[in-house]
Amino acid sequence: METIALSADARPRLSPHFMFRWEASQDAYILLYPEGLIKLNLSAGEILKRCDGERTVAAIVADLQAAFPGHGEEIAASVRAFVDLACDKGWLRT
Amino acid sequence: MPKETGGLSLDGQGKPLWLSLELTYRCPLKCSWCNNPLDFEDYAAKELSTEEWKKVLRESRELGALQLGFTGGEPLQRPDLEELVAYADSLGFYTNLITSGIGLGEERLIALKNAGLKQIQLSLQATRADVTDALVGARAHARKLEAGRLIKAHGFPMVLNMPVFRQNIGMTGEMIEWAAGLGIEYLEFANIQYYNWALMNRDELMPTLEQVRDAEKVVQQWRDRLGKKMTIYFVIPDYYEGRPKACMNGWGAIHLTIAPDGVAMPCQEARVIPGLEFESVRDRPLAWIWHESPLFRKYRGLDWLPEPCGSCAEKEKDFGGCRCQAFLLTGDAGNTDPACSRSPRHQVVQDAVDAVARPLRFRKPLVRRAAGAMSTAFLET
Ligand code: SF4
Ligand code: SF4
């Protein structure tokens, strides 16, 4: 996959027409969009929840590091990887 | 329908994630590739009431359904469409409308938006009025274009669906150009599946392999040019692929379709298969139909698969193909889909392909979906 240079002060937000919510029957966060449906794993859900167009990538990382202490580097790397993927797939816009 | 199966995860876990409601088989058009039953007229008097549809929505949501398509026939023929959309939205469905565009005026579009409709799939057969109108058997082209413009003007995401056959496959490039001009996000070239009316007209409709390859090239050039602005789906007909479709992600896996009379089906075409016991939501709880009924259990999973599928490494990928196609082309729905080159009956598909490639053939006129349930006189060409 081509990686887009993602700057730490980008403010990712959900693309228009995408619906992101908790779904009890799946016990997971899900993304719904025209003709499609994605069930998100736990960390993807936690990241996406914070992509509100207000928070920067750096702020999302800091927020998650505070919420899940002891995984500093891992969180930073997975936020970047996920936001890259989600932008590439068109779920998120920066 | 599921485009994004390679995402983070899409496992139905035995839930009917995708619900299609065929609200009615009534339709003002007469498409020769329509996949409605040949006896579609008989359903008009048996359609579920508004309250019955609401019960279907509640019960399927309880089963875990998430994506919902209102389809038909032409779903706009139902005056309670807005009410059903609003109800589905309140239950947490992502609501899609699959329409020919006939009957989609601004007033209804606004009402649908207010009801919470999320997405509209509009079908368009050609970029030229004379071609569209001849293909659908009615003066529909201008109305479809107007519907497309309105859908975009009201901020809906839109899938433009062009059913592809020999008569229009050469217009692939023009169609992309037109859709790009309108700012359409998703364009789907749907190589039609040959059931019902389409099967009756197969020899006239099926494009040659050469035409398919040319169209594929055009699509690729436009994908490169447009980048992420538009997602273009182009699926090669399985007759040419040597492998069957992973039909509906497997029988009774994630798809549930309800016919106008309340009969629940694993796919829209399942009623062509004789000998199956169909159950209506009028008579049985949907949970029982989905989980327990002999119909849904018949071809569910991989254990029932015949040879060569049973010992084939690809069975997890395609589930042995399409049951309806297996029935229509081999006489037994339990056979390997003959679109597969490993099927002992693959020759029937090969013969169809050869018939299309023969250069000088006697051409028959297309058989149009015959009307009867409603007057279409005002639209006649
Ligand atoms: S394929 Fe044509 S005739 Fe059949 S329901 Fe759709 S628009 Fe109507
Ligand atoms: S033999 Fe059966 S499982 Fe194997 S590829 Fe063909 S249809 Fe699929």
Side-chain angles (χ1 to χ4, degrees), chain B residues 101-102 130 132 140 186 230 253 261 315 317 346 354:
Chain B
I102 307 301
D130 56 328
T132 304
Y186 303 89
M230 193 196 288
D261 57 348
K315 65 180 172 190
K317 228 165 61 186
H346 185 57
D354 292 346

Side-chain angles (χ1 to χ4, degrees), chain A residues 4 17-19 21 23 25-26 30 32-40 44 82 85 87-89 91, chain B residues 1 3-4 7-9 13 15 17-18 61 66-67 92 94 96 118-119 121 155 157 185 188 228:
Chain A
I4 313 145
H17 314 310
F18 278 63
M19 218 162 103
R21 65 171 171 80
E23 169 65 18
S25 72
Q26 293 286 332
I30 56 167
L32 293 161
Y33 54 96
E35 302 209 337
L37 156 65
I38 301 277
K39 178 176 166 183
L40 297 157
F82 177 78
L85 169 97
C87 288
D88 190 62
K89 293 236 179 220
W91 309 340
Chain B
M1 192 149 87
K3 306 284 160 36
E4 194 70 62
L8 290 192
S9 94
Q13 298 162 320
K15 298 185 173 75
L17 298 179
W18 242 280
R61 189 71 185 94
L66 290 166
Q67 278 282 357
Y94 192 92
N96 305 269
K118 295 291 183 293
Q119 195 262 138
Q121 183 186 119
E185 296 92 342
E188 179 169 21
K228 279 188 198 165

Side-chain angles (χ1 to χ4, degrees), chain A residues 14 19-21 26 31-32 34 40 42 50-51 53 55 61 66 71 73 76-77 84-88 90:
Chain A
L14 207 58
M19 218 162 103
F20 169 71
R21 65 171 171 80
Q26 293 286 332
L31 257 185
L32 293 161
L40 297 157
L42 203 64
R50 291 167 171 80
C51 295
R55 282 178 251 212
V61 170
H71 301 278
E73 263 319 292
D84 265 350
L85 169 97
C87 288
D88 190 62

Side-chain angles (χ1 to χ4, degrees), chain B residues 203-272:
Chain B
D203 287 354
E204 303 308 314
L205 289 170
M206 195 154 78
T208 64
L209 182 56
E210 203 186 352
Q211 287 180 306
V212 172
R213 295 284 174 232
D214 285 349
E216 226 181 353
K217 263 182 240 143
V218 172
V219 167
Q220 201 42 57
Q221 284 160 4
W222 276 97
R223 278 190 184 133
D224 295 344
R225 188 164 349 156
L226 294 172
K228 279 188 198 165
K229 269 187 244 145
M230 193 196 288
T231 307
I232 307 175
Y233 305 106
F234 183 88
V235 184
I236 302 212
D238 57 2
Y239 275 43
Y240 287 126
E241 288 212 289
R243 284 292 174 272
K245 299 169 289 150
C247 193
M248 311 312 276
N249 275 48
W251 183 272
I254 59 170
H255 284 274
L256 172 61
T257 297
I258 312 290
D261 57 348
V263 159
M265 304 180 286
C267 84
Q268 292 191 336
E269 318 304 335
R271 263 172 161 173
V272 303

Side-chain angles (χ1 to χ4, degrees), chain A residues 10-14 50-56 60 93:
Chain A
R11 296 172 201 272
R13 67 190 146 77
L14 207 58
R50 291 167 171 80
C51 295
D52 52 9
E54 306 272 316
R55 282 178 251 212
T56 61
I60 293 169
R93 303 227 169 134

Side-chain angles (χ1 to χ4, degrees), chain B residues 243-244 308-309 312 314-315 318 320 336 340 342:
Chain B
R243 284 292 174 272
C309 301
C312 176
E314 292 180 47
K315 65 180 172 190
D318 62 30
T336 294
C340 182
R342 294 176 189 167

